[in-house]
Amino acid sequence: MTGPQEVNSAWRPALSRSVVLRHDRVRDTDLLVLPERVVVLRGSAGSVLRLCDGANDVGAIVATLAAQHPGAPVADEVPVFLGRLRAEGWLT
C-alpha cells in the first residue's frame, strides 16, 4: 500500500463499504458518516469525494477538478488528500 504522499494516478478510489458521503442541509456541509463517527468535510472535499466512485482514476479526478477550478493547485493537493483518506481506511 502506498503512503499518503504516494498515490498512483491509475488508482480508482472508492469509498470503503462502511463509509457514506452525505450532505447535511441544516449545516450546508458535507459529511463522511463512519461507524460511530462523523467527519465534517471542509472546502471542496465533498466535491472530490463525489468523484471517487471506483470508475474515475486519480488522473481523471484531477482533470475534472482542474477544469472546474482553473488555477487551483489541484494536481498537487488532490492526490495527497486522497492518499490521506486511503491511509485512514476511508477509501479503497
Side-chain angles (χ1 to χ4, degrees):
M1 179 187 272
T2 59
Q5 302 297 327
E6 307 166 28
V7 173
N8 183 332
S9 65
W11 170 43
R12 297 179 184 275
L15 292 175
S16 296
R17 274 192 251 168
S18 61
V19 178
V20 177
L21 177 63
R22 297 236 191 259
H23 184 77
D24 182 338
R25 287 182 283 163
V26 173
R27 294 183 205 136
D28 193 29
T29 191
D30 292 311
L31 309 170
L32 277 184
V33 181
L34 307 125
E36 301 182 25
R37 184 174 176 190
V38 174
V39 176
V40 177
L41 300 174
R42 297 178 192 260
S44 59
S47 298
V48 175
L49 291 177
R50 279 187 192 79
L51 296 171
C52 295
D53 57 6
N56 293 309
D57 62 25
V58 173
I61 292 169
V62 167
T64 298
L65 293 168
Q68 292 173 354
H69 306 282
V74 173
D76 295 329
E77 294 179 359
V78 170
V80 172
F81 173 69
L82 295 175
R84 287 183 182 146
L85 270 62
R86 184 184 209 180
E88 289 287 339
W90 302 344
L91 291 174
T92 59

